[in-house]
Amino acid sequence: MSTYYFVIVGHNDNPIYEKEFSTVNKELRKEDHRHLSQFIAHAALDLVDEHKWKTANMQLKSIDRFNQWFVSAFITASQIRFIIVHDNKNDEGIKNFFNEMYETYIKHSMNAFYKINTPIKSTMFEKKSEIFGRKYLLS
Amino acid sequence: MLIKPTITYAGSCPLFRSLEMQILNAIPLDKCEWRRTFQRPTKQVRLEAQAQQFNVSMLEKYKQGEWSILEHPILHIFVTECNDIDTYKATIKDEIDAWLKLLTSYGVLDWMILLVETLDMRKTKNILPRTTVLDKIRLDFGSKNDDRCISVLNPAKFEQKSTESFRCLVQRIRFLMLTSYNRNIVKYEDLLRSKRERRNLDGWDFRQYFFLQEDLALIFEKLELHTEALIQYDELDALFSQYVVQQTDSFRQPLDAFNGICLNRVDKFEMRSKIRNRSLPCSLLEFRNYLFERQAQLLFTSNDIPEIAKRLLNFLFSTLREVDYIKVECQEGSLACWSFVCALEVLQLCEQAMEPNEVTVQCFQHCAPIWNLAKDKLYELGKLCGLLPGSTPTSEQLHIVVQLSSGIGDDNSTVEQQQHFLLANPQTRERSPNRKPKKSATQQLKEALGSNQAFEKLYLELAELAISTYKHVARLRSARLVGLDLGKFYCIHMNEPHKAVGFFTDLLRELKTENWQMLSSQTLLELANCYRKMGDTLAYTKSCSSISCCVELETLVRTFYFDEFLKSLKNLNTTLSAQSSMENANFCVLEDHFRILDIEVITPKPIIQDDFVVVQLKMESFYPREIVAETIKLCYELETPPALEEVALTTPTTKESSISQLKVSLQLSYKQDNKLHMSTVSCDSPKTKHSVRRTSSTKRKLSPSVHADFSNFVQAENTALQPGVNIIELKAKAMRVGNWQFKQLSLCMSRLEFLSEQLPISPPSFEVSTKPASATLEFKTLIAGIIQPILLHVSGGSFIFPADAKVTLRCSKNLRIRQALKSNDETNNLANDSTFETILQVPLKHFKSFEERCIPLEVLTDMPGRKTTKHHEHHIAISCPWSRTELLIPIEFQPAMEATCRLHTCGTQKFLQVIMKGLEAHLLLKQAMVKCDVSGVKLVDLNPKNQQPIEIYKTLMVTYLYEIQVEPLKTEEELPIVKVHFVIQYASLEQPTIWRNYGCAFDLVDYTTLFKLQGQLEPNELCRLRTVCNMNLKITKIHENPYVDLMYEVLNDQNLWAVCGRSAGVVSMKDVDSHSISLDVMPLSTGFLPMPSIRLSKYTAGGKTKADAHSKVHPFPPGQVYNSTKSLQIHVIASVSADQ
């Protein structure tokens, strides 16, 4: 049993895409828990910003702990932050997931009708993230 | 537990024992360089040792591969004091041989032969032995490694001389020990590897392996290789994690004790012996604790305290997962206790070790989450044991407390030991003696579990520490997240909601700025709860309103809070205090509740002053149901020219750049002979602790405090706003002229005012303007004498006209005006020129602003009887209702026709010719008449009678002829001027029935014929070409006149006539009536040639006075000279000679 909360954060520290992956049954999951993941992701922004200048890598790996939760981050070339809050160690899977989502995000951001930093509301993007989440995070 | 490498001795045991203490004490005195294998860095190592008599049993295990590096003797020494070669050969050699063989049979190569020399001075002085025993030993055993054979002067006997050799010995022992370690560690590692590879086989004992590897770690630690020791422990840690998952059964016993880690134990290996003792089963927690303690110890000695803090969370949660996985039976809350104690233990260590250096920041970074964890765990316990403020523990809960307290175990350390522990590390500083020593983690927990007050105190302390630590490492967001928990604690448990508000609002502000909607709505819920408890109706109302507008929340929640909102909104009037402070202002952020989609000015442009401005506002309401806004106001302000702002902006930027200039200084260094050696430019960069520090995003206020200037606004009242998009019309009277821009939207509900932060990116601007009214006259070329159309153009502008407004037109003299008649009125008034007036009032009935009206008018001006073709200038003064001053408009008229007269003479008869020249207009003329009132002058009309009206138009001329008969008695002296009036009736072609009079007065002067000029050409009537003819001129005086001297001139065409001789001359008419002149002329052309014309002029001879030096010639007026030669023609025929 593991849960992953994935969020893309724009330049103004605003979430532009959120997605949750979990093996736990939806009814069982407490609503409160979801907020906590969000809260943790939000709180980790400070640390992401601190780390992103310390390395040339896009993968920032696991950067923060909040009780049992890990926070892993990825930063794109355009300084868009990908953050995953998870309670299981899964470095390899998360790395792959980030890479795939980066690819997907680039494609989406090249859409002339998409404005950077605005929420992503694309079914294609949604579908892709669903696929990659199941492939790399939950398997 | 004492860890000292073992050295064995054989041979002369009593001798060694006598030296033992001296050697063992000497070993740790100095460091030895350790050259390690595989190019690992050399290291200075301080060694210790213990000695044992050689025993074969010690090597048994070694041979079997069951040995431990810890217990394995590291060096074997054979001691002898044989000085005599013979004795040596007889016994010692064999002994050594046997000993060495035994060692090699066990595969041990770490040996040393020590020859203790008890030198007899007297003997050696005389005989220098050829070979010593040492040489012999070296020869026999040390062929390859003669450094393993060493002799030493017995220090017991030669205290003075032995020092040097003894130092050599100790050095050699150290060296050999290290060499031995090199070999043995490699061997041991091989052993471990092979053991580890068998871990998946049945019967593999983890515990056994654990100690094997730990021994290596201990040896590393002993050899001050902390990192390598740590690696061993880390490997064991990882292996244990695997093992636990596979061998779940071995740790499944219920957990009674859950002591936390203790980083300052007296006996660091207490747990090790417990684990080793198989009879006492050791729990998972104990094992884990031990591992972590060891790791922490190693990290501490290598002064990497942050790493301890960093590892803690991993340690705790992986252990918790294991406990969970194995399903260890344990007391509820026990794990929380354990986590709490562990966390606090590490925190205390960090706190103690903190130095004001760089380590601290790193340390704080890792400490912050630990504080938070400790806080969470304590809360968990408090909840379990009923220790939260406001609740009293039940008996069951008290029972739990007792159980937990016993399970935590007792304190393992004392303050003194703590101090000792700290002093062990040279980096740690002495704590000030005044400061009270901290209670141990266990004690603190026990106290907190003891009473509600203690619990509360500890919880608040931990939370505050977590927040401040997070803030210290610039992780404000995390600090706020902890603040959320603390706020909840204050609000829910301690019933001090006012303390919680700050935490919630801080968090809310940040979340809202960054658009984390879901989170901000959650925080809002907390805040609303808080305000409700505080009884702050206003704030509660605002929060309820905001919550009901959170689209992310469930509809049920939203409608609940919507109802709450409406309910408390009603109460607001009664409860709200009269004065609203800045904090307590009744402003809400409009954007949280509505979204302004569009603002459009509907009133067509331009908007006139005092007109109504209508603005359409498109707004989305987020409320779940309909609400009624009492007023919606949208204020607007005058647009400011942007140029001013730019100027203001440029100045501060230059200032900033000057501030950020680097402090660069020049440094020169000179040689001894004062020549410049070197010059440098240096810059002291101010030391920044954090190279990069994030700055928080721009802050957004929770409630707008800026109330824009609402002196100009459009508004709507009592508007019902449906959920979703609403279109509202806002109205206001445009009072002032200017370019206006919308600034802020305000929406009032009861006492609440919703103010917008900013309008959508480009709020439209509109212009309120006034337009002056104007009146102009439009006309084309106007012609005098006939009715001319003219247009009065009135444009209303923004002037508001009274119902009976009128425009008055006043004409200049001789100009009259009237309103144009409609065509059907023609018959009645057509003939009536009297309807023209000099002053006309044009009524402007129902004239509206901005109306444009054209009023056709007609003007008529008299045609003055002047002969000139000059324009007639007139003007019309217009007085309008909007202006006090008259408007003077110049008008020019062109004459319709022109009359000129000419006087003609025929001998003494005089004729008057009147020429009417048509100009612009097309007219009809009739009844031309001349009148002369002078008696004795009669004008005879020579024109045909009863003729039809004559049409006249441009370029057409009509001529009338009259004969003037002056009575002979009336001489010119009597009547120098005869005034003649010419009158004619005319009508325009369009209105042929209306006849108007045109009159013209002519003055006749010089109408008497004074001279007559006659001329004749001889031979008469037969002129031949190029034949000189005689021309006779005769000037006759008809009337007496003062002109005496006359001058005649022949003005001939040079192609036709040639005058022979003088062509001009002066004659005097004094006392003569006539004068004859003869001239010779010659025709130059054939045909009927006009006779050369003669001109007669008055002549005044010059030279009589000085002023008139020259003669002057004046022409006569046309009536005074009658020239009969005019228009005579001469027939010239071709000359005879020419014919021939």
Side-chain angles (χ1 to χ4, degrees):
Chain A
M1 130 189 161
S2 54
T3 55
Y4 293 86
Y5 166 73
F6 170 58
V7 62
I8 301 178
V9 182
H11 294 141
N12 307 322
D13 298 337
N14 54 323
I16 57 177
Y17 180 77
E18 292 177 81
K19 178 98 189 147
E20 211 168 355
F21 307 99
S22 179
T23 46
V24 187
N25 202 347
K26 268 187 184 165
E27 282 105 56
L28 280 173
R29 222 185 317 152
K30 278 183 276 173
E31 184 63 17
D32 197 43
H33 184 89
R34 186 176 127 78
H35 299 319
L36 192 56
S37 301
Q38 256 196 331
F39 271 124
I40 293 167
H42 175 253
L45 280 177
D46 286 320
L47 215 56
V48 177
D49 289 349
E50 204 178 306
H51 276 259
K52 74 181 174 188
W53 300 112
K54 288 183 182 165
T55 169
N57 281 341
M58 286 179 154
Q59 300 278 358
L60 301 183
K61 298 193 181 139
S62 177
I63 54 157
D64 191 19
R65 298 273 330 226
F66 188 91
N67 293 355
Q68 67 263 46
W69 290 280
F70 300 86
V71 180
S72 296
F74 177 91
I75 183 140
T76 72
S78 63
Q79 304 273 318
I80 296 288
R81 287 156 286 181
F82 292 3
I83 295 174
I84 286 184
V85 177
H86 51 109
D87 50 6
N88 264 27
K89 260 206 155 127
N90 181 11
D91 284 344
E92 195 56 30
I94 285 169
K95 188 181 148 197
N96 289 332
F97 177 76
F98 275 149
N99 281 336
E100 294 289 357
M101 284 318 290
Y102 183 38
E103 187 95 17
T104 318
Y105 173 77
I106 289 173
K107 279 176 190 158
H108 187 262
S109 66
M110 282 195 285
N111 184 343
F113 296 103
Y114 173 69
K115 212 174 136 207
I116 303 295
N117 281 335
T118 55
I120 296 170
K121 286 167 184 160
S122 151
T123 46
M124 202 57 211
F125 195 86
E126 183 79 32
K127 214 183 278 173
K128 285 248 176 171
S129 73
E130 184 77 45
I131 290 167
F132 293 133
R134 229 178 294 144
K135 189 171 169 192
Y136 294 114
L137 302 181
L138 300 183
S139 66
Chain B
M1 198 177 110
L2 222 60
I3 303 166
K4 280 184 183 172
T6 315
I7 299 171
T8 66
Y9 53 90
S12 172
C13 293
L15 176 66
F16 187 81
R17 277 195 208 102
S18 67
L19 294 173
E20 187 180 331
M21 278 314 290
Q22 212 171 353
I23 291 172
L24 292 184
N25 286 338
I27 286 174
L29 287 179
D30 206 359
K31 284 184 177 179
C32 177
E33 191 186 64
W34 183 16
R35 288 210 187 81
R36 300 179 60 201
T37 48
F38 304 122
Q39 271 103 48
R40 274 176 282 203
T42 55
K43 201 168 161 45
Q44 295 288 334
V45 181
R46 194 182 295 273
L47 285 167
E48 277 182 299
Q50 59 183 353
Q52 251 181 322
Q53 193 166 356
F54 178 70
N55 190 350
V56 186
S57 62
M58 293 163 83
L59 299 176
E60 283 298 328
K61 277 187 184 173
Y62 183 72
K63 200 179 180 184
Q64 288 162 14
E66 300 277 308
W67 58 295
S68 154
I69 196 162
L70 201 62
E71 291 154 7
H72 183 67
I74 209 70
L75 186 64
H76 304 272
I77 303 176
F78 190 90
V79 191
T80 176
E81 55 178 343
C82 171
N83 278 332
D84 182 28
I85 294 194
D86 298 333
T87 344
Y88 164 73
K89 276 183 179 166
T91 54
I92 306 298
K93 188 185 173 184
D94 294 336
E95 274 179 49
I96 295 175
D97 202 33
W99 174 73
L100 264 182
K101 270 182 182 156
L102 188 67
L103 282 179
T104 37
S105 72
Y106 285 104
V108 178
L109 297 170
D110 311 302
W111 51 268
M112 186 177 130
I113 300 166
L114 176 64
L115 179 67
V116 182
E117 292 181 55
T118 42
L119 194 79
D120 190 18
M121 292 301 281
R122 278 156 290 173
K123 264 187 184 176
T124 47
K125 246 177 202 173
N126 301 332
I127 310 152
L128 199 71
R130 200 175 293 158
T131 49
T132 58
V133 177
L134 183 66
D135 292 337
K136 212 63 186 141
I137 293 171
R138 281 195 177 146
L139 204 69
D140 288 340
F141 307 105
S143 54
K144 278 176 192 166
N145 29 23
D146 55 350
D147 55 339
R148 287 187 183 275
C149 309
I150 194 166
S151 75
V152 67
L153 289 172
N154 194 341
K157 287 183 179 166
F158 308 95
E159 280 182 15
Q160 297 295 316
K161 292 184 179 175
S162 66
T163 333
E164 177 61 28
S165 68
F166 186 73
R167 207 174 56 79
C168 252
L169 168 72
V170 174
Q171 191 61 35
R172 183 56 49 87
I173 290 175
R174 288 191 198 124
F175 178 77
L176 288 178
M177 277 171 79
L178 289 175
T179 321
S180 164
Y181 269 125
N182 265 349
R183 187 180 302 130
N184 279 314
I185 286 170
V186 172
K187 209 167 177 187
Y188 198 65
E189 277 173 343
D190 283 342
L191 175 75
L192 285 178
R193 219 164 289 133
S194 66
K195 290 261 181 198
R196 191 163 58 226
E197 270 158 20
R198 263 178 277 145
R199 68 183 179 277
N200 290 328
L201 301 178
D202 286 339
W204 186 75
D205 190 355
F206 174 77
R207 229 173 270 237
Q208 197 185 2
Y209 176 79
F210 177 83
F211 288 110
L212 275 180
Q213 191 160 2
E214 199 194 6
D215 285 347
L216 180 62
L218 289 171
I219 288 297
F220 277 134
E221 192 188 354
K222 193 71 213 165
L223 295 172
E224 294 169 30
L225 291 170
H226 301 295
T227 39
E228 279 171 48
L230 191 63
I231 290 169
Q232 302 306 317
Y233 276 109
D234 289 348
E235 276 179 18
L236 282 174
D237 193 340
L239 201 62
F240 183 64
S241 305
Q242 285 182 9
Y243 171 70
V244 164
V245 177
Q246 289 165 1
Q247 305 284 321
T248 50
D249 298 333
S250 46
F251 291 105
R252 200 164 272 168
Q253 75 269 34
L255 209 59
D256 311 319
F258 29 85
N259 306 41
I261 55 167
C262 178
L263 295 179
N264 38 22
R265 282 179 197 280
V266 190
D267 179 8
K268 288 172 193 127
F269 298 102
E270 178 190 351
M271 195 56 71
R272 180 183 158 94
S273 47
K274 190 179 173 190
I275 297 166
R276 198 152 218 181
N277 190 345
R278 282 170 187 263
S279 59
L280 282 171
C282 127
S283 72
L284 178 67
L285 286 188
E286 281 170 329
F287 200 92
R288 275 289 180 195
N289 278 354
Y290 175 69
L291 256 182
F292 189 77
E293 277 171 29
R294 290 296 303 143
Q295 286 168 331
Q297 177 69 32
L298 287 169
L299 285 168
F300 185 82
T301 37
S302 55
N303 202 23
D304 194 2
I305 293 165
E307 184 66 22
I308 303 175
K310 194 178 165 188
R311 283 168 175 238
L312 179 78
L313 283 180
N314 261 333
F315 156 66
L316 289 181
F317 288 102
S318 58
T319 310
L320 287 178
R321 284 178 88 89
E322 281 163 10
V323 170
D324 193 45
Y325 185 83
I326 302 169
K327 299 188 182 71
V328 178
E329 230 177 86
C330 61
Q331 166 86 41
E332 199 182 354
S334 56
L335 291 173
C337 282
W338 171 76
S339 314
F340 179 82
V341 172
C342 290
L344 230 56
E345 190 73 27
V346 170
L347 285 172
Q348 277 181 3
L349 177 70
C350 289
E351 207 171 87
Q352 283 159 10
M354 259 171 211
E355 282 280 312
N357 56 20
E358 279 172 41
V359 183
T360 331
V361 177
Q362 267 190 342
C363 207
F364 274 128
Q365 256 175 20
H366 300 296
C367 282
I370 303 177
W371 284 117
N372 183 44
L373 172 90
K375 178 209 75 176
D376 284 351
K377 291 294 169 191
L378 186 66
Y379 182 80
E380 200 180 315
L381 286 171
K383 206 170 167 187
L384 179 72
C385 304
L387 289 167
L388 295 175
S391 54
T392 41
T394 59
S395 59
E396 287 112 61
Q397 283 173 329
L398 283 174
H399 184 66
I400 293 174
V401 169
V402 172
Q403 277 187 321
L404 287 177
S405 298
S406 71
I408 296 165
D410 290 321
D411 210 355
N412 289 315
S413 64
T414 59
V415 180
E416 287 83 2
Q417 281 150 5
Q418 252 179 33
Q419 294 283 347
H420 177 254
F421 180 71
L422 285 168
L423 283 174
N425 192 312
Q427 285 253 312
T428 54
R429 71 194 145 117
E430 286 277 359
R431 303 194 69 81
S432 73
N434 295 340
R435 201 154 153 185
K436 256 206 243 168
K438 271 221 152 187
K439 288 172 198 157
S440 74
T442 330
Q443 271 175 319
Q444 283 193 40
L445 180 60
K446 277 183 181 170
E447 269 178 39
L449 292 179
S451 75
N452 288 33
Q453 286 76 23
F455 168 80
E456 183 188 314
K457 187 166 165 276
L458 186 62
Y459 182 82
L460 293 180
E461 190 187 322
L462 290 176
E464 291 290 352
L465 275 167
I467 291 173
S468 57
T469 316
Y470 268 128
K471 278 186 181 164
H472 183 75
V473 295
R475 292 185 57 186
L476 291 180
R477 288 192 178 88
S478 306
R480 296 213 171 104
L481 182 53
V482 182
L484 181 68
D485 284 340
L486 184 56
K488 277 184 195 168
F489 188 76
Y490 272 127
C491 181
I492 298 168
H493 302 298
M494 286 183 64
N495 217 5
E496 291 178 41
H498 54 279
K499 284 187 181 166
V501 170
F503 295 111
F504 291 145
T505 45
D506 270 0
L507 183 63
L508 185 62
R509 185 182 299 130
E510 172 127 354
L511 291 171
K512 274 208 172 164
T513 323
E514 294 167 7
N515 272 326
W516 292 71
Q517 303 297 354
M518 193 70 208
L519 298 184
S520 60
S521 47
Q522 289 298 320
T523 316
L524 254 177
L525 285 172
E526 301 285 350
L527 200 56
N529 190 21
C530 220
Y531 284 133
R532 189 172 48 78
K533 281 196 172 178
M534 280 166 72
D536 186 342
T537 325
L538 176 64
Y540 180 61
T541 316
K542 285 202 267 185
S543 318
C544 286
S545 162
S546 292
I547 292 168
S548 64
C549 290
C550 286
V551 191
E552 302 81 19
L553 291 175
E554 281 171 35
T555 328
L556 210 64
V557 181
R558 287 175 63 195
T559 46
F560 170 76
Y561 277 98
F562 183 72
D563 293 338
E564 281 286 292
F565 165 59
L566 290 184
K567 220 189 290 170
S568 64
L569 195 62
K570 275 180 201 159
N571 298 335
L572 211 56
N573 273 327
T574 51
T575 54
L576 197 64
S577 56
Q579 74 275 18
S580 53
S581 63
M582 273 305 280
E583 292 166 25
N584 208 21
N586 51 348
F587 300 148
C588 301
V589 184
L590 184 114
E591 276 86 346
D592 290 347
H593 308 83
F594 304 97
R595 187 191 295 143
I596 302 166
L597 298 172
D598 192 24
I599 296 173
E600 199 185 338
V601 182
I602 293 184
T603 320
K605 285 174 189 175
I607 301 161
I608 325 148
Q609 202 175 9
D610 295 330
D611 202 359
F612 275 99
V613 186
V614 182
V615 178
Q616 195 186 60
L617 173 69
K618 213 173 182 184
M619 193 163 74
E620 192 180 346
S621 165
F622 296 136
Y623 282 103
R625 289 192 207 142
E626 181 193 290
I627 51 146
V628 177
E630 276 145 34
T631 54
I632 302 174
K633 292 179 189 175
L634 181 61
C635 79
Y636 48 87
E637 286 173 9
L638 273 175
E639 243 175 348
T640 45
L644 282 173
E645 284 172 30
E646 277 173 32
V647 175
L649 275 177
T650 47
T651 40
T653 47
T654 50
K655 265 188 185 174
E656 272 174 34
S657 62
S658 66
I659 289 167
S660 65
Q661 270 181 354
L662 293 171
K663 288 180 183 171
V664 178
S665 60
L666 178 70
Q667 290 177 348
L668 302 170
S669 65
Y670 295 92
K671 286 186 209 169
Q672 277 187 326
D673 54 352
N674 280 337
K675 277 182 187 169
L676 188 67
H677 172 56
M678 185 172 64
S679 75
T680 49
V681 173
S682 69
C683 169
D684 295 325
S685 57
K687 269 202 175 176
T688 46
K689 274 196 174 174
H690 310 277
S691 50
V692 178
R693 212 168 212 207
R694 59 163 281 104
T695 48
S696 209
S697 320
T698 46
K699 291 274 176 264
R700 204 189 98 169
K701 286 175 205 144
L702 269 187
S703 62
S705 49
V706 187
H707 199 278
D709 178 16
F710 265 85
S711 47
N712 298 299
F713 59 85
V714 284
Q715 77 161 359
E717 284 179 357
N718 291 327
T719 319
L721 295 170
Q722 304 294 336
V725 179
N726 292 276
I727 294 175
I728 307 142
E729 275 199 0
L730 308 172
K731 247 175 133 183
K733 210 172 184 184
M735 300 294 281
R736 280 173 59 197
V737 178
N739 255 333
W740 299 92
Q741 198 159 29
F742 294 113
K743 283 286 169 196
Q744 198 174 35
L745 185 69
S746 143
L747 194 145
C748 282
M749 271 186 249
S750 180
R751 296 289 291 265
L752 279 190
E753 185 169 5
F754 297 79
L755 280 177
S756 68
E757 286 279 85
Q758 58 189 33
L759 295 176
I761 310 132
S762 58
S765 62
F766 64 94
E767 192 181 356
V768 176
S769 59
T770 55
K771 195 182 162 194
S774 70
T776 49
L777 289 175
E778 286 177 11
F779 47 83
K780 293 177 193 164
T781 315
L782 292 174
I783 297 158
I786 51 173
I787 295 172
Q788 289 292 299
I790 193 165
L791 273 178
L792 173 65
H793 187 101
V794 180
S795 68
S798 53
F799 184 75
I800 293 168
F801 289 83
D804 56 345
K806 51 183 78 163
V807 174
T808 310
L809 298 105
R810 211 157 40 76
C811 300
S812 58
K813 201 182 163 192
N814 284 336
L815 181 68
R816 285 169 301 152
I817 194 165
R818 72 171 182 198
Q819 274 192 275
L821 301 165
K822 287 170 193 164
S823 50
N824 51 0
D825 289 344
E826 228 171 283
T827 46
N828 301 332
N829 296 319
L830 204 60
N832 204 351
D833 274 3
S834 62
T835 50
F836 282 98
E837 293 166 62
T838 51
I839 295 173
L840 178 69
Q841 287 194 328
V842 183
L844 299 170
K845 275 180 193 159
H846 311 297
F847 202 89
K848 288 172 190 140
S849 301
F850 286 101
E851 196 181 324
E852 308 248 325
R853 205 179 274 185
C854 283
I855 301 153
L857 300 174
E858 287 174 343
V859 285
L860 183 67
T861 172
D862 294 333
M863 214 164 4
R866 266 183 281 158
K867 282 160 274 182
T868 49
T869 52
K870 249 174 86 182
H871 301 285
H872 306 311
E873 286 176 1
H874 287 280
H875 54 83
I876 297 176
I878 305 176
S879 61
C880 311
W882 58 82
S883 164
R884 283 183 201 161
T885 52
E886 283 190 336
L887 192 70
L888 212 63
I889 298 173
I891 300 179
E892 280 187 347
F893 286 90
Q894 289 190 341
M897 53 192 170
E898 182 191 39
T900 49
C901 79
R902 281 181 72 182
L903 191 67
H904 292 280
T905 310
C906 185
T908 49
Q909 273 184 306
K910 295 286 175 183
F911 298 93
L912 182 73
Q913 187 192 17
V914 179
I915 304 157
M916 297 298 298
K917 194 175 167 190
L919 289 173
E920 295 298 324
H922 198 161
L923 298 170
L924 293 172
L925 297 176
K926 73 170 185 183
Q927 289 180 4
M929 266 163 60
V930 279
K931 274 185 221 163
C932 184
D933 298 335
V934 182
S935 58
V937 179
K938 197 175 147 196
L939 288 165
V940 183
D941 191 353
L942 300 176
N943 302 306
K945 304 288 175 206
N946 303 325
Q947 58 180 329
Q948 288 292 310
I950 304 163
E951 236 177 274
I952 188 170
Y953 42 86
K954 198 171 184 177
T955 69
L956 189 76
M957 285 196 286
V958 177
T959 305
Y960 297 94
L961 193 65
Y962 302 93
E963 188 184 350
I964 308 168
Q965 291 177 343
V966 183
E967 276 182 38
L969 289 175
K970 309 280 182 183
T971 53
E972 202 169 343
E973 285 79 34
E974 230 174 298
L975 295 169
I977 299 167
V978 177
K979 283 192 187 286
V980 177
H981 285 277
F982 177 76
V983 178
I984 195 162
Q985 286 190 324
Y986 67 92
S988 65
L989 216 58
E990 292 85 28
Q991 293 170 316
T993 49
I994 301 171
W995 294 93
R996 294 190 182 85
N997 288 329
Y998 170 69
C1000 189
F1002 303 115
D1003 292 341
L1004 297 179
V1005 287
D1006 301 331
Y1007 51 85
T1008 320
T1009 314
L1010 300 180
F1011 297 101
K1012 193 166 103 181
L1013 186 69
Q1014 288 165 301
Q1016 210 177 3
L1017 213 64
E1018 284 179 4
N1020 203 10
E1021 289 155 10
L1022 192 72
C1023 275
R1024 284 185 181 274
L1025 188 69
R1026 299 186 194 284
T1027 312
V1028 175
C1029 302
N1030 197 8
M1031 190 163 81
N1032 291 321
L1033 295 176
K1034 190 183 178 186
I1035 303 165
T1036 317
K1037 190 194 278 179
I1038 294 172
H1039 274 94
E1040 272 308 315
N1041 63 71
Y1043 309 117
V1044 180
D1045 292 333
L1046 299 176
M1047 183 180 181
Y1048 69 88
E1049 289 160 281
V1050 181
L1051 304 170
N1052 58 325
D1053 187 339
Q1054 301 214 334
N1055 295 322
L1056 302 176
W1057 297 99
V1059 181
C1060 308
R1062 291 176 59 186
S1063 64
V1066 177
V1067 288
S1068 174
M1069 295 303 284
K1070 201 177 181 182
D1071 304 328
V1072 278
D1073 279 347
S1074 67
H1075 215 292
S1076 289
I1077 302 144
S1078 183
L1079 295 165
D1080 287 339
V1081 294
M1082 185 170 69
L1084 298 174
S1085 178
T1086 55
F1088 291 93
L1089 305 182
M1091 195 159 153
S1093 59
I1094 316 293
R1095 192 166 72 190
L1096 203 63
S1097 315
K1098 302 166 196 170
Y1099 182 79
T1100 318
K1104 285 171 189 171
T1105 58
K1106 275 194 176 176
D1108 284 331
H1110 300 283
S1111 307
K1112 280 180 184 168
V1113 178
H1114 295 285
F1116 279 105
Q1120 290 183 330
V1121 174
Y1122 174 63
N1123 187 353
S1124 64
T1125 66
K1126 219 174 208 174
S1127 67
L1128 268 180
Q1129 286 189 332
I1130 310 295
H1131 189 205
V1132 179
I1133 54 171
S1135 64
V1136 181
S1137 58
D1139 288 343
Q1140 285 167 359

